[in-house]
Amino acid sequence: MLPARTANSRRSVCLEPNEKLINNPKPDTFMRKSSVIKPVCSGLAILAGSFSFLGSAQAVTLLSEDFEGASNLFGTPTYNYAANYTLPNLLVPAGGLQYMTGAAGINGSVSTNIYPATGSPFTLAAGGITEAQIDGGTVSYNLYAQFSTYQAQNDNGTLSVQFLDSGSSPIGSPVRIGGAAFVSALGTGTTVPERAWAADTLLGVVPSGARFAAVEIIEVKTAGGTSIDGYMDNVNISIAVSPVPISVSTASPPDNAAGVHPAAAVSVVLRDGTPTLNNSSIQLSLDGSPVSPSIQKTGSDTTVTYDPPGFLPPSSVHTYKIAFNKDGGPVPNTTNQYSFTVGSYVDIILPSPIPGAFENFNSTPEGGVPTGWTVTNLDTQLDPTSEPFITMTNLDSAAYTNWTVVDAARFTSEFDTYSQLYNSLPQPPGEATDYQRVLSVNPFNVVNGTIVTNLATGRFAFGNSGYRLGLLGQVVYMFTKDFDVSGYTNVYLSFHSLWEQNQDSIGAVEYSVNQGAVWLPVVYMLDGPDVMTNLDGSIDALTTLTNVYTDVAQYNDPVLGIVGGYYGAFIGVDSNLWSTLAPYISRRVDNDTVGSKRVEIFRLPLADNQSKVRLRFAHAGTDSWYFGVDDVGLYNLPPLKINSIVAGGGNATVSWNGAAGTKLQKSSSLTSPDWQDVPGSNGASGAPQPATGVQTYYRLVRPY
């Protein structure tokens, strides 16, 4: 792979061919014979050993060094080509008698030498080039140098140019050629290990506001050897006034983007060059079809935007093309193409919640819980320096020793952490605002065709472990009141989950239909590496819940003493059933601020027609982030039902009540079923199937 280059730059490479040489190790015998093929290199105009821009009207050489003299502009040592540390340099211009090397490094270790150029930084507004031309974007730069290295060491040199403003402050990042990736791709001789020479060049636009160019050579030695054997020759840096074509400044979604927002718009910014963009030349297409974008000009940038109607399907792949005339004409002569993939998401279709079985916490005062709900925590030996008072702005105060209702707006501001401010101690930078992460937005929460941007609105319930002191950790539980869903079947639980996984935490949701005498599983959220698997890759629930860790929370039981260190200690399902809990274990990602911010939905099969459905939310950790919930509700979802199968015209048409995410599957057997999606059925309400005479079974499925 060749190294990536900055935007608005072009790169040319000229490699010389492999040669047959008699191998002699460095630095002993140097006599050898060679048979070579002279290469052809294109992309630069080379006149009398100098370098110029093709078609440029005005050019200035800032620096040119061939390392042939007793001294050089960079003050580097040199080697003689006659020493045969490399293959012959047959590029144009060819190597002379000498080339530069990086001098001594640290024996056996990676090391770097830097050589600023004499006279650096160089003034850019010189030789007839003006500051106005630079600021107008009509001045281009051209970096050229030839590179090699010693055998397989891959020591390397980099030519680096940093543009500076009038106050000598850097503008953007340095532009560079050569380097490790370039040198590692150099060829060797057919029968010897010496490396070839290759030319690297970079052309781009001098940034607006640039007044100087600081030039240096960076020599890097790999771990082997003593000398830094990054070799360079024929270094040249030029600037020139030349027409700058209209170009794409930014494109969104970028090419090959994955996990793109389902409501993403296509947006391309075209930047004027020397000519001005002619809007009549703009053409935009999506997935091969022309579209009518909005076009807005601001300064030298023209923004072309198209917002597809509705949502793009989950995991769908799309391609868009932008065509325009880069020279300012009315007919497009340049086309750029980009592809992207939409993230995976589910459009959850929720009816109104079952009456009396919904809680949004907005009528509950901060510091409390809804009427009929209860909270408890386990004795994890609180730290005596923790604030004992109810202070909602201190995550380590008594306010957060248990689940509590808190205003979401607090998480746009600052918190005391570990009671540091309470104890008049300095708070490390970043801690005060770190819990703004609680409100991080996951763009893939879609309910009833609408993206849920704010999972917590008004107030929500919050069970905290992060930024709290405690010898054994934090273990907190919240129990809802009993919900009466008598007369309702196909009962689902949905809630807004503001969970952030830590490497040693568990978030658990369970339900009971007999006032907590028996707890049933809903979901157990665990760090992915802590989820154990069997040889076939399936989840080993028993091992997952019984493995003992030194960083998992514990608590002090008045009878048993210290208990915990394993995840099963914090769940309500009887331990003799833990081996059956694999379907309820959900792998999550450590410290992921977004991925577990979800609208969750789960079927509660034993809650149908029950009058006392109680939920339990648990969070156990050791200074291990947080678990927030909002909009907790029980729902009666319509059952999946095939309404009819009607034969006619050689087909059998299967019909059902369509909904987003609901699709038809078929199998030729129920004994050993192999269910296959029926193409085109996702979100539809019917599907014609060929009447082949082969017995076929159908079913409807949805992703929740």
Side-chain angles (χ1 to χ4, degrees):
M1 290 291 292
L2 298 175
R5 296 294 166 183
T6 57
N8 301 322
S9 63
R10 293 183 295 142
R11 180 177 188 273
S12 300
V13 179
C14 181
L15 299 174
E16 60 177 290
N18 292 341
E19 302 180 359
K20 295 182 178 180
L21 296 174
I22 301 172
N23 183 26
N24 289 301
K26 174 189 181 234
D28 299 331
T29 307
F30 306 128
M31 295 292 294
R32 59 188 70 196
K33 297 180 179 179
S34 65
S35 174
V36 302
I37 300 174
K38 186 174 181 180
V40 176
C41 181
S42 62
L44 290 172
I46 302 173
L47 304 173
S50 66
F51 306 83
S52 182
F53 293 81
L54 296 174
S56 64
Q58 183 178 347
V60 174
T61 298
L62 296 181
L63 179 151
S64 183
E65 179 59 70
D66 60 10
F67 302 100
E68 293 300 301
S71 61
N72 60 74
L73 290 173
F74 294 95
T76 68
T78 57
Y79 281 159
N80 293 327
Y81 277 99
N84 292 322
Y85 297 157
T86 69
L87 297 181
N89 183 350
L90 302 175
L91 299 170
V92 179
L97 298 176
Q98 300 179 153
Y99 55 88
M100 70 140 289
T101 184
I106 301 173
N107 187 24
S109 300
V110 175
S111 52
T112 301
N113 287 345
I114 297 177
Y115 298 96
T118 301
S120 177
F122 299 95
T123 300
L124 297 175
I129 293 177
T130 67
E131 293 181 354
Q133 290 171 327
I134 294 172
D135 295 342
T138 63
V139 178
S140 301
Y141 61 82
N142 183 353
L143 279 58
Y144 177 92
Q146 298 167 358
F147 298 86
S148 189
T149 188
Y150 180 67
Q151 296 189 3
Q153 289 181 352
N154 286 331
D155 293 359
N156 58 87
T158 297
L159 177 62
S160 177
V161 176
Q162 173 66 68
F163 292 106
L164 309 173
D165 63 17
S166 58
S168 296
S169 296
I171 299 177
S173 301
V175 292
R176 292 172 173 172
I177 58 174
F182 184 83
V183 168
S184 66
L186 297 176
T188 62
T190 304
T191 60
V192 297
E194 277 71 33
R195 304 292 284 279
W197 283 86
D200 195 9
T201 184
L202 180 67
L203 294 89
V205 178
V206 176
S208 176
R211 297 296 179 261
F212 306 98
V215 180
E216 63 186 12
I217 286 176
I218 304 169
E219 287 286 314
V220 177
K221 184 178 75 69
T222 59
T226 300
S227 299
I228 304 181
D229 292 310
Y231 307 146
M232 294 174 60
D233 204 355
N234 293 319
V235 174
N236 187 279
I237 301 174
S238 300
I239 58 174
V241 177
S242 56
V244 177
I246 300 163
S247 62
V248 174
S249 173
T250 61
S252 178
D255 195 27
N256 297 320
V260 173
H261 194 295
V266 171
S267 181
V268 179
V269 177
L270 300 174
R271 178 160 295 168
D272 291 343
T274 304
T276 300
L277 177 67
N278 188 328
N279 285 359
S280 63
S281 74
I282 297 172
Q283 296 177 0
L284 183 67
S285 66
L286 177 63
D287 297 332
S289 299
V291 297
S292 298
S294 67
I295 299 174
Q296 184 174 2
K297 182 72 175 281
T298 303
S300 61
D301 288 346
T302 299
T303 302
V304 183
T305 304
Y306 174 70
D307 189 358
F311 292 154
L312 298 172
S315 304
S316 56
V317 179
H318 303 272
T319 299
Y320 66 97
K321 296 180 181 179
I322 180 74
F324 59 97
N325 191 303
K326 64 183 176 62
D327 303 311
V331 179
N333 61 6
T334 302
T335 300
N336 288 34
Q337 177 174 303
Y338 307 87
S339 295
F340 64 92
T341 303
V342 178
S344 176
Y345 70 93
V346 174
D347 187 359
I348 300 173
I349 306 302
L350 284 180
S352 297
I354 296 172
F358 180 80
E359 179 58 64
N360 63 14
F361 305 99
N362 290 336
S363 62
T364 302
E366 271 197 313
V369 293
T371 302
W373 293 42
T374 59
V375 295
T376 189
N377 59 33
L378 300 181
D379 179 9
T380 53
Q381 299 183 14
L382 294 176
D383 192 283
T385 65
S386 296
E387 182 178 357
F389 306 109
I390 303 293
T391 303
M392 301 303 292
T393 55
N394 182 1
L395 294 170
D396 189 43
S397 77
Y400 297 99
T401 57
N402 226 318
W403 281 86
T404 188
V405 169
V406 62
D407 197 311
R410 290 197 180 276
F411 297 92
T412 63
S413 188
E414 298 182 351
F415 285 94
D416 187 5
T417 53
Y418 305 119
S419 294
Q420 292 168 121
L421 300 182
Y422 171 75
N423 289 297
S424 301
L425 298 173
Q427 191 176 28
E431 283 192 4
T433 58
D434 195 22
Y435 259 34
Q436 292 179 10
R437 65 198 294 145
V438 170
L439 301 182
S440 299
V441 175
N442 183 341
F444 299 107
N445 287 312
V446 181
V447 177
N448 296 335
T450 301
I451 293 176
V452 180
T453 303
N454 299 314
L455 290 176
T457 55
R459 299 188 185 115
F460 67 107
F462 190 67
N464 188 46
S465 172
Y467 290 116
R468 290 189 60 80
L469 301 170
L471 181 62
L472 301 178
Q474 298 80 32
V475 184
V476 293
Y477 296 93
M478 179 172 65
F479 303 86
T480 70
K481 67 179 183 179
D482 291 335
F483 297 114
D484 185 358
V485 296
S486 300
Y488 293 94
T489 59
N490 213 34
V491 174
Y492 279 74
L493 164 67
S494 180
F495 62 94
H496 293 185
S497 176
L498 295 91
W499 167 256
E500 183 168 346
Q501 185 67 54
N502 203 208
Q503 82 277 358
D504 54 7
S505 64
I506 179 173
V509 183
E510 296 168 311
Y511 74 109
S512 173
V513 296
N514 55 11
Q515 298 182 300
V518 175
W519 288 103
L520 304 166
V522 177
V523 65
Y524 303 104
M525 298 177 288
L526 295 169
D527 188 27
D530 285 355
V531 177
M532 301 294 104
T533 58
N534 299 303
L535 292 178
D536 62 359
S538 61
I539 292 176
D540 181 348
L542 183 61
T543 303
T544 297
L545 295 171
T546 56
N547 270 359
V548 176
Y549 301 91
T550 58
D551 59 347
V552 170
Q554 298 175 299
Y555 62 93
N556 186 23
D557 184 276
V559 176
L560 301 176
I562 301 300
V563 176
Y566 60 97
Y567 295 120
F570 312 110
I571 71 174
V573 173
D574 288 343
S575 59
N576 62 341
L577 297 176
W578 289 358
S579 62
T580 68
L581 297 180
Y584 307 96
I585 293 176
S586 178
R587 291 184 176 93
R588 303 298 171 100
V589 178
D590 181 33
N591 297 332
D592 182 356
T593 62
V594 173
S596 288
K597 303 294 196 313
R598 304 180 184 179
V599 177
E600 301 278 18
I601 184 167
F602 302 99
R603 174 78 167 102
L604 306 184
L606 298 184
D608 292 357
N609 288 307
Q610 296 297 314
S611 61
K612 293 181 174 60
V613 179
R614 183 180 301 182
L615 305 174
R616 180 171 100 153
F617 296 89
H619 181 199
T622 52
D623 187 9
S624 304
W625 298 129
Y626 49 85
F627 189 5
V629 297
D630 201 1
D631 289 3
V632 178
L634 299 179
Y635 296 83
N636 166 225
L637 267 60
L640 297 176
K641 179 184 177 182
I642 293 176
N643 295 329
S644 64
I645 301 178
V646 179
N651 287 329
T653 300
V654 184
S655 301
W656 64 94
N657 295 328
T662 298
K663 56 188 175 183
L664 185 69
Q665 292 184 331
K666 64 181 179 179
S667 174
S668 60
S669 170
L670 293 181
T671 304
S672 299
D674 180 22
W675 293 104
Q676 301 291 324
D677 292 347
V678 173
S681 66
N682 193 345
S685 58
Q689 294 293 288
T692 61
V694 177
Q695 180 172 267
T696 304
Y697 299 90
Y698 294 93
R699 72 175 184 181
L700 293 170
V701 295
R702 58 187 166 203
Y704 49 86

